[in-house]
Amino acid sequence: PLFGRVGGAPAVTTAVDLFYTKMLADPRVSYFFEGVDMKKQRSHQARFLKFALGGTDMYGGEGNMTKAHARLVKQYGLEMKHFDIVV
């Protein structure tokens, strides 16, 4: 699987840490994370990436990105422009 080719769990952890460091430093999106338990969020994101890269068949997340982020749309006005920033 791709998971092993990208470096496995250590690479995923590094990527997640770098991702959130950048997101929290970017005023265009950092407010989406106010009040979020970032240790829990990082762990959740790592589980998602491990699943997406074929490292595990266990995820346990929503599975539907629209539903998973509905609160952010309603509460903070999450839009496609924010998705473009994140990607």
Side-chain angles (χ1 to χ4, degrees):
L2 185 55
F3 179 72
R5 293 196 310 252
V6 300
V12 168
T13 299
T14 298
V16 168
D17 287 343
L18 180 59
F19 171 77
Y20 283 115
T21 296
K22 289 182 177 188
M23 293 301 97
L24 294 171
D26 190 328
R28 300 172 297 170
V29 293
S30 60
Y31 59 95
F32 290 113
F33 301 99
E34 290 176 3
V36 172
D37 178 341
M38 290 308 297
K39 182 176 180 179
K40 182 178 175 182
Q41 181 64 29
R42 288 172 193 257
S43 176
H44 181 76
Q45 183 67 21
R47 283 192 315 274
F48 169 74
L49 286 176
K50 289 173 188 174
F51 173 77
L53 296 171
T56 180
D57 59 356
M58 303 292 290
Y59 169 51
E62 169 61 47
N64 179 306
M65 297 300 269
T66 300
K67 286 182 183 179
H69 294 88
R71 181 187 65 81
L72 298 177
V73 171
K74 184 176 182 178
Q75 188 173 351
Y76 294 105
L78 179 69
E79 300 176 6
M80 286 306 296
K81 68 181 180 182
H82 300 109
F83 176 78
D84 292 341
I85 292 166
V86 170
V87 173

